[in-house]
Amino acid sequence: MKIFYEAFLAGILGLLFLVIIGICVSWLLAIIWNAVMPDVFNLPEITTWQMFLMYLLINLVKNGITFNMKK
């Protein structure tokens, strides 16, 4: 039971780490977008959450959803 608990906790912490990294990358991309795109192409500025969702969408389209169950 202790091994299951440790694996579950590691999975939760790993997921939290990935979300934090994703938000940081999205924040950086949103800053770059807002610095360049509105002036060059007359596009609207976007928020960090909009960029985070765009980042997820692009990754899903590019990589798809796969589950590797090999041990």
Side-chain angles (χ1 to χ4, degrees):
M1 186 70 173
K2 185 178 178 182
I3 294 173
F4 173 75
Y5 176 73
E6 290 173 356
F8 179 74
L9 185 61
I12 295 295
L13 290 176
L15 183 62
L16 181 64
F17 177 74
L18 288 176
V19 169
I20 290 171
I21 294 296
I23 290 171
C24 290
V25 168
S26 299
W27 177 73
L28 181 63
L29 290 174
I31 288 174
I32 294 170
W33 174 284
N34 291 333
V36 175
M37 300 304 264
D39 294 334
V40 175
F41 297 109
N42 199 23
L43 295 172
E45 291 187 357
I46 61 174
T47 65
T48 301
W49 296 112
Q50 289 171 326
M51 181 56 79
F52 181 69
L53 294 175
M54 285 176 51
Y55 180 71
L56 289 178
L57 181 64
I58 290 168
N59 280 327
L60 285 174
V61 169
K62 186 177 78 168
N63 299 328
I65 299 174
T66 59
F67 296 99
N68 188 0
M69 296 294 192
K70 295 180 182 178
K71 291 184 177 182

